[in-house]
Amino acid sequence: MAKKQVISKSGGGKLYANVATDTSVGAVDAGEYVLLNGVGVLDESVLPNEISNFVLKDNCAEAGITVGKLVALTSTGFVLADNGSIDREAIGVALTAGTVGQQMMVAIAGRLTISGSTFAKGTRYYLGSAGAAIATPPDNVANKISQFIGKALSSTSIHLEFGQSIITTAL
C-alpha cells in the first residue's frame, strides 16, 4: 500500500498533513484520503463493490490500446476489439493505456466519459474496426461482427451496454 501525505486546511486556517493512500487493504485504511494511482486512476481496491464490479483488470496483449478504445478479452489478455474478426468482440472500453505484458483497466458497463470523443447525443454506437465505435452497424457485409456498444448521452459520454454479437452475411 502506497502511503503519501496531503495537506488540508481547517476551518480556522491551520494546515494539517494527513495520510493518504492510492490502494487499500481494507478497514485499516478507513478515514484516509484517497489519491489517484501511478497511472492516474482510482485503484479498484478503494472503490465500493458496486462500482468495482464494472471494471476489469487483465494484461495487455497487444500494442496500440489507448484510453477510450474498445477492447476484447483473449486467453492472453486485452486486445483491440474489431468487427472484422469473429474472435474480437468488444467486452469493454480501455480506462488506461495498454503496455504489452502490463496490467490495464477496462470499463465493462455503465456511464463513461471519454475525453476528446465526438459522440452524437442520442445516437446508438456499434463495434467498428481497430477498437473504434461507429454509428452504423455493418449490415449486409460478409463475416463482420454487428455488436451494439451503447448510446451516447453527450458528445463525450456514453452509456455502455454491450449487446450480443451477430455475425453478418452478404445479401
Side-chain angles (χ1 to χ4, degrees):
M1 171 172 23
K3 298 283 185 183
K4 298 178 181 170
Q5 289 187 337
V6 294
I7 306 297
S8 65
K9 191 174 187 179
S10 71
K14 292 186 179 185
L15 298 177
Y16 293 93
N18 296 290
V19 174
T21 185
D22 63 2
T23 57
S24 176
V25 293
V28 69
D29 295 321
E32 291 187 6
Y33 287 88
V34 177
L35 298 173
L36 299 178
N37 65 18
V39 292
V41 296
L42 288 174
D43 188 80
E44 186 178 331
S45 66
V46 299
L47 299 174
N49 288 337
E50 301 81 36
I51 295 173
S52 64
N53 289 338
F54 294 106
V55 176
L56 285 181
K57 283 184 177 180
D58 208 319
N59 287 329
C60 175
E62 179 178 55
I65 300 177
T66 57
V67 173
K69 289 288 188 179
L70 294 165
V71 297
L73 183 61
T74 68
S75 61
T76 57
F78 293 118
V79 296
L80 287 170
D82 195 306
N83 68 1
S85 181
I86 295 170
D87 60 348
R88 289 193 175 213
E89 66 183 355
I91 190 172
V93 176
L95 294 174
T96 56
T99 300
V100 175
Q102 300 295 313
Q103 192 174 68
M104 60 181 291
M105 293 174 58
V106 170
I108 59 172
R111 180 181 180 159
L112 182 63
T113 298
I114 305 170
S115 181
S117 59
T118 56
F119 298 122
K121 183 178 179 178
T123 300
R124 294 171 57 90
Y125 282 87
Y126 301 85
L127 174 60
S129 61
I134 58 176
T136 306
D139 296 335
N140 305 325
V141 178
N143 297 317
K144 290 276 189 175
I145 296 173
S146 183
Q147 182 185 15
F148 176 68
I149 300 304
K151 192 169 191 175
L153 303 173
S154 72
S155 63
T156 59
S157 182
I158 189 167
H159 179 260
L160 297 176
E161 188 181 338
F162 293 93
Q164 179 70 33
S165 296
I166 300 168
I167 300 171
T168 60
T169 59
L171 293 178

